[in-house]
Amino acid sequence: MAPQKGALAVAGCMDIQYASPHHLAFPTTVLSVADSPPSDAADWLAKLNAAQREAVEFGADDPGQPPGALLVIAGAGSGKTNTLAHRVAHLVVKGADPRRILLLTFSRRAAQEMTRRVTRIAGAALGARAALAQGLTWSGTFHSVGARLLREYADLIGLSPTFTINDREDSADLMNLVRHELGLSAKEKRFPSKNTCFSIYSRVVNTGASLVDVLDTAFPWCREWEADLRALFAAYVAAKQTQSVLDYDDLLLYWSHMAAEPSIAADLSGRFDHVLVDEYQDTNRLQASILLGIKPDGRGLTVVGDDAQSIYSFRGATVRNILDFPAHFNPPAKQVTLERNYRSTQPILAASNAVIDLAAERFTKNLWTDRASAQRPRLVTVADEVDQARYVVEKVLEAREDGMKLKSQAVLFRASHHSATLEIELTRRNIPFVKFGGLKFLDSVHVKDVLAVLRWAENPRDRVAGFRVVQLMPGIGPATAARVLDQVAERAGAATPEDADTAIGLHHDARHRAGALASFVPPARAAEDWQPFVELMSRVCGRQSAWPAEFELIRRWYEPHLERNHEDASIRQGDLLQMESIAGTYASRERFLTELTLDPPDATSDESGVPLIDEDYLILSTIHSAKGQEWRNVFVLNGVDGCIPSDLATGDDAALDEERRLLYVAMTRAKEDLHIVVPQRFYVHNQTQLGDRHVWAQRTRFIPAHLLPLFDAHAWPHVPVAAAPTAAGLAAAAHAKIEIAARLRKMWD
């Protein structure tokens, strides 16, 4: 099935006869190990079960003739990562050139771990030829590999080779800038915010759906703005192309268009004999079109995933990619199902299988394990969220007293705010915990300021970066910043030759930008700081200092502005110093910016604090963040309708099925014990602080009555059985009843 072309026209693609940029394709010589036979396969494949081994060995005997497409359906805890690593290693052992293997994952760390495993497995099998396993150089995320390929093919697809990449926040800022220039922020009626506009744009790009369909299904309150949004998105794309910037979505969008051009697709296909994809259920339509464009016949294509764990539709992922994968090829893709679970006990798997069996469409598989247990998953009914927190804390402490560390226990929830009451109770009971989430490092103001200077120096047309940098000067607001950028653009545009999209043109841009800044007359408040700023940009843009000395120049220039704008300047300065040391590990400014954008850190580390503050802690996590993890004891909060499924995800059957898969993912994180807690009373928001308005909740629809025998269903706390009343007690009660009744009658005498 050929991928469809989108609306973006990629300049210069239609007349390409041969698309090998700079002839960078890998050597055609296949590294052979025939003269050094590996050790007996049974030695390093012995730990695999029959299904895993079938997936590993499929079509690997003839490295010169890649096999047809392979789909590995890997259930939760079935060892899919280990299977994929063994397959890559087996291909290398059988003679495949590791430099011609493309391995795609969904995180940098997963790619690094996969490469490490492959090297270890193949190294053990190859013996004296173990150095061959070091050649797996094309391993990474879709976005990182896409950025690398776009750099190489830039001249062929109408991209500037020095393009910069905006993160999501910067992309939203550019969207807002365009929104303001079009006058959409001055509407009499409320226009969608910049983040909403960018979310709509991103969903259209990643899902391949029309703007009308996206508005109808996901953003119905924005329907009336369809025409304005269409104009906004067109202007946003034009602004990105003018400024030579790409957003995250562009890394996939441009790559998909490259894969849709026969000449480039043939060249890409020729570079890679084998393409292997992990977590295929989390791919969107763009990513699927890339794979089908590179490998239209499926030869050498292997995808691994689990349709029952497809839970990222809010990012544009679609479960249809993995469900429809076999039918894209003729003959259909080979399918291998991994059903043996190495994580959970049989009662937990039985309940999990029963929940996912009710899905409307799925691949047939039933996980099994040889880990027997008499303990069924607990379905616990409590009065309210306060009792829910008390139950979790008591059971966590009870398990701890039985020898289970806090780190081996986790509390999972549908949304981050669901744990608020529990966090209070944990603090009161002196139980340390770690919760996943919070402000990302690159969202910090001081980090974005410094990176904006670097990005503007790297790409003089990046208006968002320039807008931010110029406003760092005291006394310069948005209006003055806009005049500065307009003057810079005018000077650079007038002086730039016809090769404006080339490195030469950008060099001219940088030189004339420095001249434009020097000639600008700043406001009086900014006069003192303007000349140092001009000198900095002249040195950095002209590359008068080698990398990473440029970073030190920027940091020293920024320090006075940091102290002026932030009370905690010393702490923030520590972040910048650490960034400076990290910058020294990259070969160039461009590489540093690309890597930091594609793989942003959550934080930087400070100096180590007082040792042994606490040796153990409980894990709190959203279900989405818990995917791929496992714990001995797992608690699932708010197992009621309105939370699981979320009341915002009940609009259609597809959304409900994803919520069902979300519960399945939560249940299959548990190795030994699983608790699904069902609070009955939920207090209504937007009332007085101690208001009593509440609603009664019902158990999640994903656990209907006929599945209850698979659970240990009970209420908590247990109600004690009352003792039988004595004769004396009954007599006293009767006397009191008569006496009180008489008193009540006398009130109205």
Side-chain angles (χ1 to χ4, degrees):
M1 178 180 175
Q4 295 181 348
K5 295 183 181 180
L8 178 65
V10 181
C13 288
M14 299 303 295
D15 57 350
I16 296 173
Q17 301 300 316
Y18 179 72
S20 181
H22 316 301
H23 301 283
L24 291 175
F26 294 119
T28 55
T29 303
V30 175
L31 300 180
S32 175
V33 297
D35 56 340
S36 178
S39 57
D40 187 3
D43 295 340
W44 59 282
L45 297 178
K47 296 182 179 180
L48 303 178
N49 60 43
Q52 290 173 333
R53 189 156 179 169
E54 181 184 4
V56 167
E57 296 180 329
F58 172 72
D61 291 332
D62 187 358
Q65 293 292 326
L70 171 65
L71 170 62
V72 181
I73 301 296
S78 61
K80 68 174 177 62
T81 302
N82 189 47
T83 302
L84 187 59
H86 273 81
R87 176 161 178 78
V88 177
H90 191 64
L91 290 171
V92 174
V93 170
K94 289 295 184 178
D97 188 345
R99 298 170 300 177
R100 297 176 62 84
I101 295 176
L102 174 60
L103 179 58
L104 296 169
T105 64
F106 274 81
S107 72
R108 289 292 185 92
R109 189 170 182 182
Q112 294 168 358
E113 173 65 15
M114 189 74 68
T115 303
R116 187 189 64 80
R117 286 197 189 191
V118 171
T119 303
R120 176 176 55 81
I121 298 169
L126 289 169
R129 303 291 302 276
L132 287 176
Q134 303 291 334
L136 193 65
T137 57
W138 283 90
S139 174
T141 65
F142 272 93
H143 291 88
S144 63
V145 172
R148 184 176 172 184
L149 289 173
L150 292 185
R151 296 276 183 205
E152 295 186 5
Y153 287 86
D155 293 336
L156 296 175
I157 59 176
L159 271 179
S160 168
T162 58
F163 69 81
T164 52
I165 305 171
N166 282 351
D167 60 20
R168 185 175 180 87
E169 189 63 31
D170 288 329
S171 299
D173 287 343
L174 179 57
M175 181 77 74
N176 194 46
L177 190 63
V178 176
R179 174 176 175 264
H180 180 71
E181 291 175 350
L182 293 179
L184 297 175
S185 57
K187 294 282 188 180
E188 294 182 1
K189 298 176 67 177
R190 182 182 61 127
F191 193 78
S193 67
K194 65 176 184 180
N195 289 317
T196 302
C197 292
F198 187 75
S199 296
I200 296 171
Y201 168 82
S202 184
R203 185 172 288 243
V204 170
V205 171
N206 286 290
T207 62
S210 66
L211 176 59
V212 175
D213 290 342
V214 169
L215 292 177
D216 285 341
T217 56
F219 302 91
W221 63 92
C222 302
R223 286 187 186 120
E224 62 179 304
W225 302 113
E226 179 198 342
D228 289 327
L229 287 171
R230 194 178 298 277
L232 172 63
F233 298 157
Y236 171 69
V237 172
K240 287 190 296 180
Q241 294 177 351
T242 302
Q243 300 176 27
S244 297
V245 298
L246 303 181
D247 56 33
Y248 282 153
D249 300 327
D250 286 330
L251 299 177
L252 301 180
L253 189 59
Y254 274 81
W255 190 6
S256 71
H257 280 274
M258 287 166 53
E261 288 297 330
S263 55
I264 300 182
D267 190 60
L268 287 172
S269 182
R271 300 180 70 162
F272 305 112
D273 295 330
H274 297 273
V275 178
L276 302 98
V277 185
D278 195 14
E279 303 286 5
Y280 189 65
Q281 77 279 352
D282 295 333
T283 56
N284 58 36
R285 295 191 183 277
L286 273 181
Q287 291 161 327
S289 70
I290 290 169
L291 297 175
L292 295 175
I294 296 176
K295 298 293 182 184
D297 58 357
R299 299 189 67 83
L301 179 59
T302 299
V303 302
V304 181
D306 182 9
D307 58 293
Q309 298 187 65
S310 178
I311 58 175
Y312 291 108
S313 66
F314 64 93
R315 297 180 183 171
T318 172
V319 71
R320 299 288 347 152
N321 283 350
I322 192 169
L323 291 175
D324 299 337
F325 182 81
H328 284 301
F329 311 101
N330 186 21
K334 169 73 173 178
Q335 183 177 324
V336 178
T337 305
L338 309 183
E339 294 183 311
R340 182 176 181 179
N341 179 283
Y342 294 91
R343 176 186 300 159
S344 306
T345 62
Q346 186 58 43
I348 293 176
L349 287 183
S352 303
N353 288 335
V355 168
I356 201 64
D357 278 345
L358 301 177
E361 186 177 6
R362 69 184 190 95
F363 283 114
T364 302
K365 68 175 180 299
N366 282 290
L367 301 182
W368 64 273
T369 182
D370 53 10
R371 297 188 63 204
S373 175
Q375 179 59 61
R376 293 174 296 175
R378 298 172 173 92
L379 189 63
V380 185
T381 302
V382 297
D384 51 29
E385 291 177 291
V386 175
D387 272 3
Q388 176 175 247
R390 288 176 51 220
Y391 172 81
V392 170
V393 169
E394 289 195 12
K395 293 302 177 181
V396 164
L397 292 177
E398 183 181 302
R400 179 178 177 271
E401 291 302 315
D402 290 338
M404 187 182 297
K405 292 183 177 181
L406 294 178
K407 291 180 181 178
S408 300
Q409 307 181 66
V411 183
L412 309 182
F413 31 86
R414 176 64 177 84
S416 183
H417 65 273
H418 288 175
S419 65
T421 305
L422 175 62
E423 291 174 38
I424 295 173
E425 183 70 9
L426 289 170
T427 304
R428 190 180 71 83
R429 301 282 286 270
N430 195 30
I431 299 176
F433 63 90
V434 172
K435 184 177 179 180
F436 293 97
L439 182 68
K440 291 189 179 297
F441 176 62
L442 294 190
D443 293 337
S444 303
V445 173
H446 58 297
V447 175
K448 292 185 74 68
D449 288 344
V450 171
L451 291 180
V453 179
L454 284 171
R455 285 176 41 222
W456 200 33
E458 181 70 18
N459 179 7
R461 304 178 189 178
D462 190 338
R463 195 172 178 88
V464 170
F467 205 70
R468 186 182 191 97
V469 172
V470 175
Q471 289 186 85
L472 292 176
M473 293 323 107
I476 294 183
T480 304
R483 290 201 306 272
V484 173
L485 295 180
D486 290 341
Q487 182 169 321
V488 168
E490 182 180 351
R491 288 279 299 268
T496 300
E498 60 274 3
D499 57 352
D501 288 328
T502 66
I504 297 176
L506 289 169
H507 176 73
H508 281 250
D509 277 354
R511 182 163 54 86
H512 289 283
R513 171 181 42 169
L517 291 176
S519 63
F520 184 81
V521 180
R525 285 185 58 195
E528 183 179 350
D529 296 288
W530 189 254
Q531 188 57 36
F533 170 63
V534 173
E535 292 175 358
L536 172 75
M537 297 309 299
S538 178
R539 293 188 63 178
V540 176
C541 296
R543 299 187 183 272
Q544 298 177 18
S545 300
W547 177 262
E550 296 174 338
F551 196 103
E552 182 182 1
L553 288 175
I554 295 171
R555 176 182 61 78
R556 291 186 181 278
W557 168 83
Y558 181 68
E559 283 178 352
H561 303 286
L562 184 67
E563 294 173 357
R564 187 183 71 251
N565 295 325
H566 302 284
E567 294 181 356
D568 56 346
S570 59
I571 298 175
R572 296 174 185 263
Q573 189 176 14
D575 290 338
L576 301 182
L577 287 170
Q578 188 167 357
M579 284 182 66
E580 185 178 331
S581 65
I582 295 171
T585 64
Y586 291 92
S588 66
R589 182 170 67 195
E590 175 271 321
R591 196 64 195 164
F592 173 70
L593 289 171
T594 299
E595 292 291 325
L596 207 62
T597 305
L598 294 178
D599 189 24
D602 286 326
T604 63
S605 61
D606 198 355
E607 294 182 358
S608 298
V610 180
L612 302 177
I613 294 179
D614 212 305
E615 77 282 0
D616 204 5
Y617 50 84
L618 183 68
I619 305 295
L620 307 187
S621 173
T622 62
I623 301 174
H624 285 96
S625 298
K627 188 171 176 292
Q629 306 295 318
E630 59 182 36
W631 296 274
R632 292 178 62 187
N633 193 18
V634 171
F635 300 83
V636 182
L637 300 186
N638 295 343
V640 300
D641 250 61
C643 296
I644 304 177
S646 168
D647 52 4
L648 299 176
T650 56
D652 54 41
D653 292 341
L656 276 175
D657 268 354
E658 176 154 336
E659 293 291 306
R660 187 189 311 276
R661 295 193 293 269
L662 202 61
L663 177 60
Y664 173 80
V665 168
M667 295 174 66
T668 52
R669 299 311 94 194
K671 299 169 67 175
E672 299 175 9
D673 284 304
L674 173 63
H675 310 249
I676 300 177
V677 192
V678 185
Q680 292 294 291
R681 182 186 292 111
F682 281 88
Y683 289 97
V684 178
H685 294 289
N686 298 323
Q687 60 175 317
T688 56
Q689 185 176 3
L690 299 177
D692 287 331
R693 293 181 58 202
H694 63 273
V695 297
W696 288 102
Q698 67 173 3
R699 182 182 69 251
T700 173
R701 70 187 72 183
F702 302 142
I703 306 179
H706 71 273
L707 297 187
L708 290 181
L710 297 172
F711 295 84
D712 177 11
H714 63 270
W716 186 91
H718 298 289
V719 180
V721 179
T726 62
L730 290 173
H735 179 71
K737 177 181 176 181
I738 295 172
E739 187 175 295
I740 293 174
R743 291 177 182 179
L744 294 179
R745 289 194 300 271
K746 289 181 180 180
M747 288 177 61
W748 306 103
D749 289 345

